Amino acid sequence: MQKSDENRKVDDSPARSRGRPRAFDREAALAQATRLFWIKGFEATSIADLTEAMGIGSPSLYAAFGSKEALYAEALRHYREDNEALVWAGFFSAGTAREAVKSLLMDSAAVLTGCVVDIPRGCMVTLSSVGSEGYVELGKLVRAARTVTLDRLKLRLNQAISGGEIPVSTDVHALARFIQTVQNGMSILARDGASRSELEAVAELAMLGWDTRTADAERGQG
Amino acid sequence: MQKSDENRKVDDSPARSRGRPRAFDREAALAQATRLFWIKGFEATSIADLTEAMGIGSPSLYAAFGSKEALYAEALRHYREDNEALVWAGFFSAGTAREAVKSLLMDSAAVLTGCVVDIPRGCMVTLSSVGSEGYVELGKLVRAARTVTLDRLKLRLNQAISGGEIPVSTDVHALARFIQTVQNGMSILARDGASRSELEAVAELAMLGWDTRTADAERGQG
DNA sequence: CTCTTTCTGTAATGATCGATACATAAATAG
DNA sequence: CTATTTATGTATCGATCATTACAGAAAGAG
């Protein structure tokens, strides 16, 4: 038995063998950083803000996360892991595309207004403007995260076509764009203080035209 | 005749009588500043960026505009004067609320993608995050500008009720919120590079449910 | 225990931030 | 012309930015 190889925790554990262990909870610190980035944005959040909220010194921050940009990238990942399940669970468990989309919008209404758990308003990915500030890598990251919504919507709609739920003639891309637009718009309303019930009303109004939008016939009549 | 009072240009002209006149075009400099704030946001735009784009030194900037915050406030005003006419002209000239809303969304699709005149993508008001950065006064200004859209929509929908175009039972607030949501979402898509035709398709899909949404009967069915 | 390794707190780095002091240039009033 | 008034360019202010030396502290390995 190759003891030295099999006993070492290669991937799961940090694999640190000797020396002083980290004194702070990395996950808790990351959660604080995520919250701060979420509320204030990347540029407006300073290292001083972060170290204060995380309860650590700046050398510890850099030792644990590398740089401010790398910390933001990890905060983004942490955010998506924590919150996308809240928004997408109903979408993936729904039996029809119609119910999936409605779940997505209704759950978004609840999560975006901070009604499910105590989190800031609006979507960190949607409202991030880090791409327009000259941070190229972070911009790519955020934009890639944004396309996930569109991809999932198109995939589900195509499945609905295959299953016969909606007609083959449905413009999947346009319909997915529409749903994405509504969800994005709800983020902005949530940030500006709109209530959960207001966003739910918006979601229901968006769903009201579903049958018309998924009908075969003429589209551009208005 | 009180010559000293009547001959002086009190309000129209800058009322400067003696001394060196300003060497740069204030409006042109403001337009450059607006463009820069629009693209990069308030915090990410530095005074050095501004003075370079405006072609002036920082003392001239402060002499003409007072401070960075005051310059942003005036850039916001300049933006609204220049661009809201493009978006709202069709809305106000339309004969019906339905056509007004459709005009608003279709014109937004064109303007937000920079297809009408050469301007940055997305709406400066909608995408501004200056309210979340601790700039209280600017935040109020931006938020006030955002409510204008909702107010105009509700006013027009109420007129449509008075005129018999849509039933009295219409939930004006919810419907206005929905339209506002779509327009806001379009700003985000435009910033991320969506094309004019994509946004127009979104606008048409949003309009497709109009008859259903303005119908009397049951609302929450799906 | 000692040694080694790693983390933590203090303090400081050069760069850049928004905002100005100062002297000079420029243009009008008389 | 001279006197006055205002804008401009340079150069700089203190504050804050992200980042990092440095030394001491803490904990596992032996």
Side-chain angles (χ1 to χ4, degrees):
Chain A
M1 274 205 270
Q2 301 169 334
K3 188 179 167 198
S4 62
D5 268 36
E6 296 200 356
N7 279 7
R8 194 174 307 168
K9 301 175 184 176
V10 184
D11 200 13
D12 183 27
S13 173
R16 292 177 301 98
S17 51
R18 299 204 296 188
R20 180 182 184 181
R22 180 177 291 118
F24 63 92
D25 184 343
R26 191 180 191 276
E27 277 302 308
L30 181 57
Q32 289 301 316
T34 302
R35 189 178 185 88
L36 218 54
F37 277 137
W38 190 351
I39 296 175
K40 304 186 64 176
F42 176 75
E43 282 229 316
T45 305
S46 69
I47 299 290
D49 294 334
L50 291 166
T51 55
E52 185 184 11
M54 297 162 89
I56 62 176
S58 42
S60 301
L61 188 153
Y62 280 91
F65 300 101
S67 70
K68 187 185 177 185
E69 293 196 34
L71 175 58
Y72 187 87
E74 233 180 305
L76 207 63
R77 183 191 56 72
H78 180 260
Y79 166 80
R80 294 178 65 188
E81 281 180 11
D82 268 17
N83 290 102
E84 283 204 353
L86 299 174
V87 176
W88 288 96
F91 178 86
F92 284 124
S93 66
T96 64
R98 181 196 189 118
E99 281 306 311
V101 169
K102 179 164 184 179
S103 282
L104 175 66
L105 294 182
M106 294 297 282
D107 293 344
S108 295
V111 173
L112 290 175
T113 48
C115 293
V116 177
V117 289
D118 182 34
I119 49 177
R121 290 177 156 267
C123 173
M124 181 180 178
V125 174
T126 301
L127 299 180
S128 169
S129 59
V130 82
S132 319
E133 293 170 355
Y135 295 89
V136 182
E137 288 306 313
L138 290 184
K140 287 180 186 172
L141 218 62
V142 171
R143 244 165 284 132
R146 283 187 193 133
T147 62
V148 170
T149 297
L150 187 67
D151 293 339
R152 287 176 180 173
L153 285 169
K154 289 174 76 169
L155 181 66
R156 189 66 188 84
L157 291 173
N158 280 320
Q159 288 172 355
I161 288 181
S162 302
E165 183 189 344
I166 58 178
V168 183
S169 61
T170 306
D171 188 340
V172 166
H173 180 76
L175 185 52
R177 279 292 204 196
F178 170 74
I179 300 161
Q180 186 188 21
T181 301
V182 172
Q183 199 201 27
N184 286 348
M186 285 167 63
S187 264
I188 295 184
L189 261 64
R191 178 197 56 185
D192 285 359
S195 69
R196 172 179 180 172
S197 60
E198 273 182 302
L199 293 194
E200 286 176 343
V202 167
E204 285 179 0
L205 285 175
M207 291 305 299
L208 262 189
W210 177 271
D211 294 326
T212 316
R213 278 190 286 270
T214 53
D216 267 294
E218 64 278 319
R219 178 55 56 74
Q221 190 247 0
Chain B
M1 274 209 269
Q2 301 169 331
K3 188 180 167 198
S4 63
D5 268 35
E6 295 201 356
N7 279 8
R8 193 175 308 169
K9 302 174 183 176
V10 185
D11 198 15
D12 183 28
S13 174
R16 291 179 303 101
S17 50
R18 298 202 297 186
R20 181 182 183 178
R22 179 179 291 117
F24 62 91
D25 184 342
R26 192 180 191 277
E27 277 301 308
L30 180 57
Q32 289 301 316
T34 303
R35 187 177 187 88
L36 218 54
F37 278 136
W38 190 349
I39 295 175
K40 304 186 63 176
F42 176 74
E43 284 228 315
T45 305
S46 68
I47 298 290
D49 293 335
L50 291 166
T51 55
E52 184 184 11
M54 299 162 88
I56 61 176
S58 44
S60 300
L61 189 153
Y62 281 91
F65 300 100
S67 71
K68 188 186 176 185
E69 293 195 36
L71 175 57
Y72 187 87
E74 232 179 305
L76 206 64
R77 184 191 54 73
H78 179 260
Y79 166 81
R80 295 178 65 187
E81 281 181 11
D82 269 18
N83 291 101
E84 283 204 351
L86 299 174
V87 176
W88 289 96
F91 178 87
F92 285 124
S93 65
T96 64
R98 181 197 189 116
E99 282 305 312
V101 170
K102 179 164 185 179
S103 283
L104 174 67
L105 295 181
M106 293 298 281
D107 293 344
S108 295
V111 173
L112 290 174
T113 49
C115 294
V116 178
V117 288
D118 182 35
I119 49 176
R121 290 176 156 267
C123 173
M124 181 179 177
V125 174
T126 301
L127 299 179
S128 169
S129 59
V130 82
S132 320
E133 295 169 355
Y135 295 88
V136 183
E137 288 306 314
L138 290 184
K140 286 180 187 171
L141 218 60
V142 171
R143 243 166 284 132
R146 282 187 194 133
T147 63
V148 170
T149 295
L150 187 68
D151 292 340
R152 287 177 180 172
L153 284 169
K154 290 174 75 171
L155 182 64
R156 188 66 187 83
L157 291 174
N158 279 319
Q159 287 172 355
I161 289 181
S162 301
E165 182 189 346
I166 59 177
V168 183
S169 61
T170 306
D171 189 340
V172 166
H173 181 75
L175 186 52
R177 278 292 204 195
F178 170 74
I179 300 161
Q180 185 189 22
T181 301
V182 173
Q183 199 201 27
N184 286 348
M186 286 168 63
S187 264
I188 295 184
L189 261 63
R191 178 197 55 185
D192 284 359
S195 68
R196 173 179 180 173
S197 61
E198 273 183 302
L199 293 194
E200 285 176 343
V202 167
E204 285 179 0
L205 285 176
M207 291 305 299
L208 263 189
W210 178 270
D211 293 326
T212 316
R213 279 190 285 270
T214 54
D216 267 294
E218 64 277 321
R219 181 52 61 72
Q221 189 248 0

